Amino acid sequence: MKNRKAEQRFPLRRVATGTLILAMFSAQAFAADALSPDSEWMFGDWGGYRTQLQDDGIKFDVNYTMESAANLGGGADTNTTMRYSDQWSFGTNFDLQKLLDWQDAEFQMTVTSRNGQNLSEQVADQRTGMLSSVQEVYGRGQTWRLTQFWLRKGLFNDVVDVKAGRVTVGEDFDNFDGNLFQNLALGSGQAGNWRGDRWFNWPVSQWGGRVKFNITPGRFLPGRFL
């Protein structure tokens, strides 16, 4: 029989890892504007260094998403079941026009890590049934991935826009703002959520690219190639 207490234990190792990463930031990260709602960045401008990097064409992001869910009753087991999952995302963007004077060009690299457990698996074990994943950041396995590694270039005064490398489908197709919901069925990229054997969403990437024709400022026509 499984040890349910061990299964429900809060992932202290994940918290310790996150605390260590935050501690690695320099003391300047906790300047007067750190954690301020008026600051563009959570840990402030680092004495102006981050703004300077952005003006020079270098941007980087560290994002952490945590999703917890609980089954309060029902199913074959009357005990409350709780699950925790998270995603770390480390990204860097280079504006090649600012860095190399290469007109309308940029490079993006993103590495992601997913961890934890999914409540939907336990719910299925309890025979209550499920249509989609309760925690959307759990999907596609709990591992490190190279999620983005692509080069984008605008051509003919940005009438044609080409991107190639390690790309994710949801960047350019079938996407909308789904940050208000945790359930996968209410998120972006629904084609991949329901037919995951054919359509691979973030954080899975594949070698390929897309060509976008900007017809008017408000209309465009994208096409994908592998």
Side-chain angles (χ1 to χ4, degrees), residues 7-184:
E7 286 182 351
Q8 297 177 22
R9 184 176 53 195
F10 190 81
L12 296 178
R13 185 176 64 180
R14 307 302 180 197
V15 175
T17 301
T19 303
L20 178 61
I21 292 175
L22 295 179
M24 292 172 60
F25 286 101
S26 65
Q28 283 184 311
F30 298 91
D33 58 352
L35 304 178
S36 169
D38 299 326
S39 176
E40 182 179 353
W41 302 287
M42 181 176 181
F43 293 108
D45 197 11
W46 302 358
Y49 288 121
R50 193 158 188 180
T51 295
Q52 181 178 344
L53 285 172
Q54 184 169 279
D55 291 342
D56 292 338
I58 301 175
K59 294 191 296 183
F60 57 91
D61 295 287
V62 178
N63 295 295
Y64 168 75
T65 302
M66 180 273 288
E67 295 177 350
S68 293
N71 179 30
L72 301 180
D77 191 342
T78 58
N79 293 329
T80 300
T81 301
M82 186 172 184
R83 290 291 182 265
Y84 161 95
S85 60
D86 68 37
Q87 174 182 274
W88 287 93
S89 175
F90 305 88
T92 304
N93 181 273
F94 297 98
D95 186 330
L96 301 182
Q97 181 169 329
K98 293 181 179 179
L99 290 169
L100 303 176
D101 199 24
W102 192 10
Q103 184 68 27
D104 195 11
E106 65 172 317
F107 175 78
Q108 174 71 36
M109 181 177 69
T110 304
V111 175
T112 59
S113 172
R114 287 189 166 182
N115 310 276
Q117 295 176 302
N118 184 19
L119 180 67
S120 298
E121 292 183 347
Q122 183 66 22
V123 169
D125 292 340
Q126 294 176 342
R127 300 191 293 277
T128 56
M130 55 166 278
L131 294 176
S132 186
S133 176
V134 175
Q135 291 145 280
E136 58 92 16
V137 297
Y138 176 83
R140 301 299 186 182
Q142 311 306 284
T143 186
W144 287 89
R145 280 191 174 88
L146 178 61
T147 298
Q148 293 176 304
F149 192 84
W150 50 255
L151 175 68
R152 186 200 63 81
K153 178 72 173 72
L155 304 170
F156 310 113
N157 198 25
D158 202 32
V159 174
V160 179
D161 190 287
V162 180
K163 180 168 68 177
R166 295 289 299 189
V167 296
T168 61
V169 178
E171 296 174 49
D172 300 284
F173 300 90
D174 187 32
N175 59 69
F176 60 88
D177 188 1
N179 294 330
L180 295 177
F181 304 101
Q182 177 173 296
N183 193 295
L184 188 64

